[in-house]
Amino acid sequence: MPSNKNALTRIVLLDKLLADRYHAYSIHDMTLCLERELPKYGQVGGVSKRCVEKDIEYLEYNFPIPIELERYTVDARSAATDKVYKKRCLRYSDPTFSIFKGKLTAEEKGILTTALATIGSFDGLDGFGWLDDLNKRLGLVEQQPVIQLSKNLLENKTLMAEAFSAIQAHAVVKLQYKRFDASHMCEVIVSPYLLKEYNQRWYLIGAAYDTGRVLNFALDRLVSIAVLPGYEYRQAPADLLERYEDIVGITYYEGAQLYKIVFWVSDKSAPYVATKPLHGSQIRYKGEREVALRQQYQAPPQGALFSIACMENYELIRELCSYGGELKVLSPQPIIDAVTSRIKEMATLYGL
């Protein structure tokens, strides 16, 4: 291998690919990756498959330190024909090996210390033993926690770690999932994007491999998560996080209408709603605006008026109904109808 900057850059990039345990790279895949990445380092002219093969040969037989490569096959799916085939791949035999492993700088230690403090609520869960390892590497002193989050996750807590790792690695996974209302287990292949908590339950957000539709899966209904290294990862929609800013809870309906929901709350419950908003967009009306809205909707003289801007879903209607007679939706009509329907169902249930 020529001793020049171009060759060294290729070796650095190949090292990352060979050390990746969540994706399966063939020589062809590596060539495409280098063609895509090398221009970012000021290198033009492309790279040939033969060039990559020579670099791999150099690493395996002539590199200054011993390197063992593993050749294996995985099931892969062709984007052109949508057929599954056997793909020949290679990687480091030792899953912990990398040529360019370096020591952490003081700045990196500070950043990781902060990050560990943030996610420290997962400390002690199955599959998150690396938190303890990082603590030891950073030389952190164990101390009394000042923030404690709920650990009411699920029976098989290793699924949290497996989902976390798959998201970090941009790895496609196959989920075995059993709904509460189904007698059989189903399988779905997804590109995982996000772990989200709502109402003391954790969900995995990801896109279905076949349709690209973004779905959510409750972790307590997942049976297993298996990485599919031969499948191409589908990038998350650019507005993924914004979607959850427009809803209460976890259920997002594509193309749903965004409503401005005005509601009255009794004096008894108003302080609770004011200090624990139903949604991040919540506004409490006062002054002339409050007077005008009371007249417009013929609201009771006591209590308080609020509004939120969000889409309708199951969690929203459940939240609005949870206050019983202490909360009344004043607008818009579709939300009033949904709440009224839920109240009638409850009345029928109780024989009223």
Side-chain angles (χ1 to χ4, degrees):
M1 182 191 75
S3 179
N4 56 41
K5 180 181 177 181
N6 289 2
L8 179 58
T9 305
R10 294 199 306 272
I11 293 300
V12 171
L13 294 173
L14 287 174
D15 176 68
K16 293 180 180 179
L17 299 179
L18 292 168
D20 189 338
R21 309 304 282 194
Y22 289 92
H23 301 88
Y25 294 106
S26 64
I27 294 293
H28 176 69
D29 295 332
M30 293 181 181
T31 304
L32 293 178
C33 183
L34 264 61
E35 287 180 348
R36 183 176 62 251
E37 295 296 322
L38 286 174
K40 298 179 183 179
Y41 299 89
Q43 300 184 28
V44 296
V47 61
S48 67
K49 180 180 178 182
R50 181 56 185 154
C51 179
V52 174
E53 289 174 337
K54 286 184 177 180
D55 288 341
I56 295 294
E57 183 179 345
Y58 169 78
L59 286 173
E60 192 168 19
Y61 299 109
N62 299 306
F63 201 71
I65 60 175
I67 295 177
E68 292 186 13
L69 298 182
E70 173 187 2
R71 288 165 174 80
Y72 64 103
T73 61
V74 298
D75 289 336
R77 188 181 294 271
S78 170
T81 63
D82 199 34
K83 292 183 178 179
V84 176
Y85 67 98
K86 294 292 183 181
K87 182 167 72 169
R88 298 177 61 187
C89 307
L90 68 162
R91 63 190 178 190
Y92 290 134
S93 299
D94 182 353
T96 65
F97 179 81
S98 174
I99 299 171
F100 299 100
K101 276 188 176 178
K103 295 183 178 179
L104 294 173
T105 65
E107 182 180 4
E108 289 170 335
K109 286 185 177 182
I111 293 172
L112 283 175
T113 300
T114 303
L116 285 174
T118 302
I119 61 176
S121 59
F122 298 117
D123 189 23
L125 293 184
D126 295 341
F128 279 87
W130 50 269
L131 282 175
D132 294 330
D133 295 337
L134 278 178
N135 274 306
K136 293 175 182 178
R137 286 185 60 195
L138 295 174
L140 301 179
V141 178
E142 186 175 349
Q143 57 184 358
Q144 183 72 20
V146 295
I147 296 177
Q148 185 178 36
L149 301 180
S150 171
K151 292 187 179 181
N152 180 26
L153 296 172
L154 59 162
E155 293 181 4
N156 186 0
K157 297 181 178 63
T158 58
L159 291 175
M160 169 68 82
E162 292 172 7
F164 180 93
S165 299
I167 294 170
Q168 288 288 96
H170 285 192
V172 176
V173 295
K174 179 171 68 175
L175 307 178
Q176 287 189 321
Y177 187 78
K178 188 172 183 180
R179 298 169 57 94
F180 286 145
D181 57 356
S183 58
H184 64 281
M185 185 168 54
C186 63
E187 291 186 350
V188 59
I189 298 175
V190 303
S191 296
Y193 300 142
L194 180 69
L195 284 166
K196 183 175 176 62
E197 188 268 345
Y198 173 69
N199 198 25
Q200 293 191 332
R201 176 167 283 155
W202 283 88
Y203 297 84
L204 173 62
I205 313 297
Y209 187 84
D210 52 354
T211 65
R213 182 184 175 193
V214 176
L215 306 171
N216 65 75
F217 304 89
L219 260 65
D220 57 356
R221 280 163 264 173
L222 284 183
V223 178
S224 68
I225 299 176
V227 174
L228 301 176
Y231 283 58
E232 184 177 354
Y233 186 82
R234 183 190 292 268
Q235 295 299 321
D239 66 342
L240 179 66
L241 295 181
E242 295 175 8
R243 296 182 182 194
Y244 294 97
E245 294 176 359
D246 294 332
I247 63 172
V248 172
I250 198 74
T251 307
Y252 176 85
Y253 297 113
E254 198 80 38
Q257 182 176 345
L258 184 68
Y259 289 111
K260 177 182 178 181
I261 303 168
V262 181
F263 55 96
W264 169 88
V265 181
S266 70
D267 286 328
K268 179 180 179 180
S269 294
Y272 296 95
V273 174
T275 55
K276 188 181 179 183
L278 274 64
H279 185 258
S281 62
Q282 181 171 296
I283 296 172
R284 179 172 183 174
Y285 293 102
K286 295 183 178 181
E288 294 181 0
R289 182 58 174 157
E290 179 187 7
V291 173
L293 287 173
R294 286 185 183 275
Q295 293 176 349
Q296 179 181 352
Y297 296 114
Q298 299 181 348
Q302 73 280 6
L305 295 187
F306 298 86
S307 74
I308 56 176
C310 59
M311 299 175 179
E312 180 184 353
N313 64 5
Y314 173 82
E315 294 95 320
L316 170 67
I317 304 305
R318 182 178 63 184
E319 186 71 18
L320 292 171
C321 291
S322 68
Y323 284 87
E326 305 292 326
L327 183 152
K328 180 182 180 180
V329 178
L330 304 176
S331 176
Q333 195 60 46
I335 303 301
I336 295 175
D337 293 342
V339 171
T340 303
S341 176
R342 187 71 60 85
I343 294 172
K344 288 180 178 179
E345 291 174 1
M346 292 179 64
T348 300
L349 180 65
Y350 283 95
L352 300 178

